Amino acid sequence: MPGIAVALPAYNEELSLPRTVPRVVTELRKVADDFEVVVVDDGSSDRTSDVVRELSAQYPEVRLVQHPVNLGYGAAVWTGITSGQKEFVFFTDADGQFDIGELARFMPFTSEYDLIIGYRAPRRDPPMRLVNALGWKLFVTLLFGYVARDIDCAFKLFRRDVLDRVYVESRGAAFSAEFLVKAHDKGLRVKELPVSHLPREAGSATGNRPDVILRAFKEMTAFWFKSRVLRRDS
Ligand SMILES: Nc1nc2c(ncn2[C@@H]2O[C@H](COP(=O)(O)OP(=O)(O)O)[C@@H](O)[C@H]2O)c(=O)[nH]1
Ligand SMILES: [Mg+2]
């Protein structure tokens, strides 16, 4: 496998990172000679940055990038995927809800597809989170047609040059939806594969917060208006 940069957006993940990062490094050492792990501390109020510094002292492949304040999930992902230097890019969550060991199954498809994206089979989130996710999928599909089986599944692998063709403006939870719609608009080849999803072991998910949800709907509506009504390409 040529070089791969792994991006982990992190918001108050001081408890999860000491488990997630060693797993990521151990698995990547099995499948790639050349890789880096970029952990983006998205303005956490806990010891997330200190924990990453300690981990990068132990694992030279690990690098910390910090946001001065909390800018949002999409902002953290964008910073992570654009600050790596390798031929391939992969992003997943820092909270350990995905099994990085499954990345090896994605790699054989990189010769045929531009993006290889996971869908959670099954999704292990609380019922209210599942209901919200369904509502979000219906909304996005209504605006743009089929986008993906599991739009927000944080298990996405792609060639770096995809980022030369796709610029994502959404900085909140609408990030992945905009990313995938633009990938389709550009005619990129997308492969979907099942991945495991694990319950969150530590820290708390904030994806269900009303302000996070409201921001996502605002960003998605703005993107729809710009791309489908004004037909402006961005
Ligand atoms: N929700 C949220 N997560 C962020 C933010 N910045 C970075 N993250 C990270 O994004 C990942 C997904 O967040 P999480 O709350 O677990 O979302 P969920 O699993 O979809 O409910 C985690 O690694 C978070 O630490 C942010 O502003 N809000
Ligand atoms: Mg999570």
Side-chain angles (χ1 to χ4, degrees), residues 13 93 95-98 120 125 129 197-198 200 205-206:
E13 301 287 2
D93 288 343
D95 60 2
Q97 288 201 263
F98 291 94
R120 288 162 277 195
D125 275 323
R129 191 82 178 70
H197 191 228
L198 312 160
R200 193 186 240 277
T206 55

Side-chain angles (χ1 to χ4, degrees), residues 26-103:
T26 308
E27 288 303 325
L28 264 291
R29 283 181 178 165
K30 291 182 197 160
V31 293
D33 304 328
D34 172 26
F35 70 93
E36 62 180 332
V37 180
V38 182
V39 182
V40 180
D41 176 5
D42 187 25
S44 300
S45 54
D46 69 357
R47 294 187 65 252
T48 290
S49 278
D50 296 334
V51 167
V52 178
R53 285 194 199 94
E54 288 153 19
L55 288 163
S56 62
Q58 216 179 326
Y59 304 102
E61 302 95 336
V62 175
R63 188 156 61 85
L64 170 68
V65 177
Q66 291 175 290
H67 284 166
V69 294
N70 179 242
L71 299 175
Y73 169 77
V77 174
W78 187 253
T79 297
I81 62 179
T82 54
S83 66
Q85 302 302 325
K86 311 291 179 191
E87 186 180 344
F88 284 90
V89 181
F90 172 73
F91 73 87
T92 190
D93 288 343
D95 60 2
Q97 288 201 263
F98 291 94
D99 174 2
I100 187 87
E102 296 180 345
L103 180 58

